[in-house]
Amino acid sequence: MEDIDAIAVLQDPVRRRLYEYVAAQGREVGRNEAAEAAGVARTLAAHHLDKLTDAGLLESGSRRLTGRSGPGAGRPAKVYTRAPGERSVSLPARDYRTAAELLAEAAEQAGLDAGLCAAARRRGEALRGAATPCGGLEEAMEMLAARGYEPHMEDAEGAEGGAPVVRMRNCPFHAVAERFPPLVCGMNLALLEGLLGADGPVHARMDARPGECCVVLDSSKNNDD
C-alpha cells in the first residue's frame, strides 16, 4: 500500500484513536482493551484494528491474555502492536532522508562529531529560547512529546537505581541513526541537552534499548534523595 493510502486510513476518528492508543502502549494490546480505551464496541474496534493492520500501520498476532497455558487456559486472543515501518507523504516529492544520510556520512568520515554536537547543542538552546531550564521530568515529557519523541515514565521498579526515568519510544532521527549510530545519537543527546538546559534538574544521558530512543532523562532531585 502506498504511504498516502496508508495515512488516509487514519482519517476516520475512531481508527485514529485506536492507532494512537496502541502506539502509545509500547506492548501488545488486545481488542477488549483497545475498544475500552477508544470508547467503542469490541466488534467495531476489531474491524478498525484489522483495517489498520491491512494498511501496514499495525501488526497483529495472537496469545493468551490470561497468562495461563494448557487445558482451561482459553483460546488465544488477537493482539496488536505498532508496525516498525515509517510512512510519510511530501507534496511535491522531497528526499531529505538521502541528504541527511549523505551529510552524516561526510561528517563521520571527516571526524566532525564534536562540531556536529556543538551545533546540535546550540540548536537546542535556540529552540528553548529565553525560557529557563526545564524544571522537572513532567515538563520535559510535554516538551519532548511536542517534538515527536513519545516519552513515557518508567517507574521506580523498572528503572535502574530505583529512581524514575523518562524513556522515549520514538527517535525522530531513527532512519539516519540506524546507519550512523554514534554520530547521530551523540547529536541527539547534545540537542536535548541544549533544549533542556544544562543548569536545570533534568539531565539527558545515553542508555540505548532496542526499539527506543538512545537517550533517557533523569532528575537530580531524584538522585539527591
Side-chain angles (χ1 to χ4, degrees), residues 14 18 31-32 34-36 40-51 80:
V14 173
L18 288 165
R31 286 172 168 176
N32 288 339
E36 183 177 352
V40 297
R42 182 184 184 280
T43 52
L44 181 60
H47 167 76
H48 285 306
L49 289 166
D50 287 339
K51 286 289 186 182
Y80 301 85

PDB file of all heavy atoms in Angstrom, residues 14 18 31-32 34-36 40-51 80:
ATOM      1  N   VAL A  14     -12.274   7.255  14.871  1.00  0.00           N
ATOM      2  CA  VAL A  14     -12.190   6.076  15.742  1.00  0.00           C
ATOM      3  C   VAL A  14     -10.917   5.296  15.431  1.00  0.00           C
ATOM      4  O   VAL A  14     -10.182   4.867  16.324  1.00  0.00           O
ATOM      5  CB  VAL A  14     -13.430   5.183  15.572  1.00  0.00           C
ATOM      6  CG1 VAL A  14     -13.262   3.882  16.341  1.00  0.00           C
ATOM      7  CG2 VAL A  14     -14.679   5.917  16.044  1.00  0.00           C
ATOM      8  N   LEU A  18      -7.733   4.498  17.985  1.00  0.00           N
ATOM      9  CA  LEU A  18      -7.239   3.148  18.227  1.00  0.00           C
ATOM     10  C   LEU A  18      -5.745   3.041  17.901  1.00  0.00           C
ATOM     11  O   LEU A  18      -4.971   2.447  18.662  1.00  0.00           O
ATOM     12  CB  LEU A  18      -8.032   2.139  17.392  1.00  0.00           C
ATOM     13  CG  LEU A  18      -9.468   1.880  17.859  1.00  0.00           C
ATOM     14  CD1 LEU A  18     -10.259   1.168  16.773  1.00  0.00           C
ATOM     15  CD2 LEU A  18      -9.472   1.052  19.140  1.00  0.00           C
ATOM     16  N   ARG A  31      -8.047  -6.652  21.769  1.00  0.00           N
ATOM     17  CA  ARG A  31      -9.205  -5.940  21.237  1.00  0.00           C
ATOM     18  C   ARG A  31     -10.057  -5.322  22.336  1.00  0.00           C
ATOM     19  O   ARG A  31     -10.544  -4.192  22.196  1.00  0.00           O
ATOM     20  CB  ARG A  31     -10.050  -6.891  20.390  1.00  0.00           C
ATOM     21  CG  ARG A  31      -9.421  -7.213  19.045  1.00  0.00           C
ATOM     22  CD  ARG A  31     -10.185  -8.301  18.307  1.00  0.00           C
ATOM     23  NE  ARG A  31      -9.763  -8.403  16.912  1.00  0.00           N
ATOM     24  CZ  ARG A  31     -10.213  -9.317  16.066  1.00  0.00           C
ATOM     25  NH1 ARG A  31     -11.083 -10.237  16.490  1.00  0.00           N
ATOM     26  NH2 ARG A  31      -9.803  -9.328  14.815  1.00  0.00           N
ATOM     27  N   ASN A  32     -10.269  -6.055  23.431  1.00  0.00           N
ATOM     28  CA  ASN A  32     -11.099  -5.514  24.511  1.00  0.00           C
ATOM     29  C   ASN A  32     -10.487  -4.254  25.105  1.00  0.00           C
ATOM     30  O   ASN A  32     -11.182  -3.258  25.351  1.00  0.00           O
ATOM     31  CB  ASN A  32     -11.289  -6.568  25.604  1.00  0.00           C
ATOM     32  CG  ASN A  32     -12.218  -7.684  25.189  1.00  0.00           C
ATOM     33  OD1 ASN A  32     -13.023  -7.524  24.268  1.00  0.00           O
ATOM     34  ND2 ASN A  32     -12.112  -8.835  25.841  1.00  0.00           N
ATOM     35  N   ALA A  34      -8.315  -2.191  23.696  1.00  0.00           N
ATOM     36  CA  ALA A  34      -8.344  -1.102  22.722  1.00  0.00           C
ATOM     37  C   ALA A  34      -9.746  -0.512  22.597  1.00  0.00           C
ATOM     38  O   ALA A  34      -9.911   0.716  22.502  1.00  0.00           O
ATOM     39  CB  ALA A  34      -7.850  -1.600  21.368  1.00  0.00           C
ATOM     40  N   ALA A  35     -10.762  -1.373  22.588  1.00  0.00           N
ATOM     41  CA  ALA A  35     -12.141  -0.890  22.476  1.00  0.00           C
ATOM     42  C   ALA A  35     -12.514  -0.017  23.666  1.00  0.00           C
ATOM     43  O   ALA A  35     -13.135   1.044  23.511  1.00  0.00           O
ATOM     44  CB  ALA A  35     -13.093  -2.080  22.378  1.00  0.00           C
ATOM     45  N   GLU A  36     -12.127  -0.446  24.864  1.00  0.00           N
ATOM     46  CA  GLU A  36     -12.442   0.334  26.060  1.00  0.00           C
ATOM     47  C   GLU A  36     -11.740   1.682  26.029  1.00  0.00           C
ATOM     48  O   GLU A  36     -12.328   2.711  26.385  1.00  0.00           O
ATOM     49  CB  GLU A  36     -12.018  -0.452  27.306  1.00  0.00           C
ATOM     50  CG  GLU A  36     -12.372   0.252  28.612  1.00  0.00           C
ATOM     51  CD  GLU A  36     -12.017  -0.571  29.826  1.00  0.00           C
ATOM     52  OE1 GLU A  36     -11.626  -1.753  29.662  1.00  0.00           O
ATOM     53  OE2 GLU A  36     -12.126  -0.051  30.951  1.00  0.00           O
ATOM     54  N   VAL A  40     -15.504   2.460  22.216  1.00  0.00           N
ATOM     55  CA  VAL A  40     -16.359   1.875  21.179  1.00  0.00           C
ATOM     56  C   VAL A  40     -16.593   0.401  21.498  1.00  0.00           C
ATOM     57  O   VAL A  40     -15.933  -0.191  22.364  1.00  0.00           O
ATOM     58  CB  VAL A  40     -15.722   2.012  19.773  1.00  0.00           C
ATOM     59  CG1 VAL A  40     -15.559   3.475  19.396  1.00  0.00           C
ATOM     60  CG2 VAL A  40     -14.378   1.282  19.711  1.00  0.00           C
ATOM     61  N   ALA A  41     -17.542  -0.209  20.790  1.00  0.00           N
ATOM     62  CA  ALA A  41     -17.822  -1.628  20.976  1.00  0.00           C
ATOM     63  C   ALA A  41     -16.655  -2.475  20.466  1.00  0.00           C
ATOM     64  O   ALA A  41     -15.916  -2.072  19.564  1.00  0.00           O
ATOM     65  CB  ALA A  41     -19.094  -2.019  20.240  1.00  0.00           C
ATOM     66  N   ARG A  42     -16.514  -3.675  21.021  1.00  0.00           N
ATOM     67  CA  ARG A  42     -15.411  -4.544  20.658  1.00  0.00           C
ATOM     68  C   ARG A  42     -15.440  -4.912  19.182  1.00  0.00           C
ATOM     69  O   ARG A  42     -14.395  -4.955  18.523  1.00  0.00           O
ATOM     70  CB  ARG A  42     -15.446  -5.817  21.510  1.00  0.00           C
ATOM     71  CG  ARG A  42     -14.291  -6.776  21.239  1.00  0.00           C
ATOM     72  CD  ARG A  42     -14.443  -8.052  22.052  1.00  0.00           C
ATOM     73  NE  ARG A  42     -13.315  -8.945  21.879  1.00  0.00           N
ATOM     74  CZ  ARG A  42     -13.133  -9.759  20.840  1.00  0.00           C
ATOM     75  NH1 ARG A  42     -14.035  -9.778  19.862  1.00  0.00           N
ATOM     76  NH2 ARG A  42     -12.071 -10.548  20.758  1.00  0.00           N
ATOM     77  N   THR A  43     -16.629  -5.181  18.642  1.00  0.00           N
ATOM     78  CA  THR A  43     -16.715  -5.576  17.235  1.00  0.00           C
ATOM     79  C   THR A  43     -16.271  -4.447  16.312  1.00  0.00           C
ATOM     80  O   THR A  43     -15.608  -4.681  15.302  1.00  0.00           O
ATOM     81  CB  THR A  43     -18.147  -5.996  16.882  1.00  0.00           C
ATOM     82  OG1 THR A  43     -19.064  -4.957  17.291  1.00  0.00           O
ATOM     83  CG2 THR A  43     -18.524  -7.286  17.593  1.00  0.00           C
ATOM     84  N   LEU A  44     -16.639  -3.211  16.681  1.00  0.00           N
ATOM     85  CA  LEU A  44     -16.210  -2.067  15.875  1.00  0.00           C
ATOM     86  C   LEU A  44     -14.709  -1.867  15.993  1.00  0.00           C
ATOM     87  O   LEU A  44     -14.020  -1.596  14.993  1.00  0.00           O
ATOM     88  CB  LEU A  44     -16.947  -0.800  16.312  1.00  0.00           C
ATOM     89  CG  LEU A  44     -16.613   0.477  15.533  1.00  0.00           C
ATOM     90  CD1 LEU A  44     -16.950   0.315  14.056  1.00  0.00           C
ATOM     91  CD2 LEU A  44     -17.346   1.680  16.120  1.00  0.00           C
ATOM     92  N   ALA A  45     -14.179  -2.020  17.210  1.00  0.00           N
ATOM     93  CA  ALA A  45     -12.735  -1.891  17.397  1.00  0.00           C
ATOM     94  C   ALA A  45     -11.987  -2.942  16.586  1.00  0.00           C
ATOM     95  O   ALA A  45     -10.974  -2.644  15.942  1.00  0.00           O
ATOM     96  CB  ALA A  45     -12.386  -2.014  18.872  1.00  0.00           C
ATOM     97  N   ALA A  46     -12.494  -4.180  16.597  1.00  0.00           N
ATOM     98  CA  ALA A  46     -11.846  -5.254  15.841  1.00  0.00           C
ATOM     99  C   ALA A  46     -11.806  -4.927  14.354  1.00  0.00           C
ATOM    100  O   ALA A  46     -10.788  -5.156  13.679  1.00  0.00           O
ATOM    101  CB  ALA A  46     -12.583  -6.571  16.080  1.00  0.00           C
ATOM    102  N   HIS A  47     -12.910  -4.394  13.830  1.00  0.00           N
ATOM    103  CA  HIS A  47     -12.963  -4.025  12.412  1.00  0.00           C
ATOM    104  C   HIS A  47     -11.898  -2.982  12.078  1.00  0.00           C
ATOM    105  O   HIS A  47     -11.143  -3.135  11.109  1.00  0.00           O
ATOM    106  CB  HIS A  47     -14.357  -3.476  12.086  1.00  0.00           C
ATOM    107  CG  HIS A  47     -14.442  -2.792  10.756  1.00  0.00           C
ATOM    108  ND1 HIS A  47     -14.478  -3.491   9.561  1.00  0.00           N
ATOM    109  CD2 HIS A  47     -14.487  -1.460  10.437  1.00  0.00           C
ATOM    110  CE1 HIS A  47     -14.537  -2.622   8.552  1.00  0.00           C
ATOM    111  NE2 HIS A  47     -14.550  -1.398   9.061  1.00  0.00           N
ATOM    112  N   HIS A  48     -11.802  -1.947  12.903  1.00  0.00           N
ATOM    113  CA  HIS A  48     -10.849  -0.878  12.612  1.00  0.00           C
ATOM    114  C   HIS A  48      -9.406  -1.323  12.853  1.00  0.00           C
ATOM    115  O   HIS A  48      -8.498  -0.927  12.110  1.00  0.00           O
ATOM    116  CB  HIS A  48     -11.172   0.352  13.459  1.00  0.00           C
ATOM    117  CG  HIS A  48     -12.365   1.115  12.986  1.00  0.00           C
ATOM    118  ND1 HIS A  48     -12.482   1.577  11.699  1.00  0.00           N
ATOM    119  CD2 HIS A  48     -13.492   1.505  13.634  1.00  0.00           C
ATOM    120  CE1 HIS A  48     -13.630   2.219  11.565  1.00  0.00           C
ATOM    121  NE2 HIS A  48     -14.269   2.180  12.725  1.00  0.00           N
ATOM    122  N   LEU A  49      -9.172  -2.131  13.872  1.00  0.00           N
ATOM    123  CA  LEU A  49      -7.823  -2.631  14.123  1.00  0.00           C
ATOM    124  C   LEU A  49      -7.320  -3.480  12.962  1.00  0.00           C
ATOM    125  O   LEU A  49      -6.146  -3.394  12.564  1.00  0.00           O
ATOM    126  CB  LEU A  49      -7.795  -3.433  15.422  1.00  0.00           C
ATOM    127  CG  LEU A  49      -7.947  -2.625  16.710  1.00  0.00           C
ATOM    128  CD1 LEU A  49      -8.239  -3.544  17.891  1.00  0.00           C
ATOM    129  CD2 LEU A  49      -6.687  -1.797  16.995  1.00  0.00           C
ATOM    130  N   ASP A  50      -8.202  -4.277  12.391  1.00  0.00           N
ATOM    131  CA  ASP A  50      -7.807  -5.090  11.240  1.00  0.00           C
ATOM    132  C   ASP A  50      -7.565  -4.222  10.006  1.00  0.00           C
ATOM    133  O   ASP A  50      -6.692  -4.524   9.179  1.00  0.00           O
ATOM    134  CB  ASP A  50      -8.869  -6.150  10.959  1.00  0.00           C
ATOM    135  CG  ASP A  50      -8.853  -7.269  11.993  1.00  0.00           C
ATOM    136  OD1 ASP A  50      -7.821  -7.442  12.667  1.00  0.00           O
ATOM    137  OD2 ASP A  50      -9.878  -7.966  12.126  1.00  0.00           O
ATOM    138  N   LYS A  51      -8.335  -3.144   9.860  1.00  0.00           N
ATOM    139  CA  LYS A  51      -8.088  -2.210   8.758  1.00  0.00           C
ATOM    140  C   LYS A  51      -6.704  -1.567   8.906  1.00  0.00           C
ATOM    141  O   LYS A  51      -5.976  -1.393   7.922  1.00  0.00           O
ATOM    142  CB  LYS A  51      -9.165  -1.117   8.744  1.00  0.00           C
ATOM    143  CG  LYS A  51     -10.526  -1.578   8.250  1.00  0.00           C
ATOM    144  CD  LYS A  51     -10.507  -1.840   6.753  1.00  0.00           C
ATOM    145  CE  LYS A  51     -11.898  -2.152   6.225  1.00  0.00           C
ATOM    146  NZ  LYS A  51     -11.864  -2.454   4.767  1.00  0.00           N
ATOM    147  N   TYR A  80      -2.349  -6.560  19.044  1.00  0.00           N
ATOM    148  CA  TYR A  80      -1.828  -5.621  18.047  1.00  0.00           C
ATOM    149  C   TYR A  80      -0.679  -4.806  18.627  1.00  0.00           C
ATOM    150  O   TYR A  80      -0.677  -4.469  19.815  1.00  0.00           O
ATOM    151  CB  TYR A  80      -2.934  -4.665  17.586  1.00  0.00           C
ATOM    152  CG  TYR A  80      -4.128  -5.363  16.986  1.00  0.00           C
ATOM    153  CD1 TYR A  80      -5.147  -5.854  17.816  1.00  0.00           C
ATOM    154  CD2 TYR A  80      -4.250  -5.542  15.613  1.00  0.00           C
ATOM    155  CE1 TYR A  80      -6.252  -6.505  17.273  1.00  0.00           C
ATOM    156  CE2 TYR A  80      -5.353  -6.192  15.066  1.00  0.00           C
ATOM    157  CZ  TYR A  80      -6.340  -6.673  15.908  1.00  0.00           C
ATOM    158  OH  TYR A  80      -7.427  -7.317  15.377  1.00  0.00           O
TER     159      TYR A  80
END
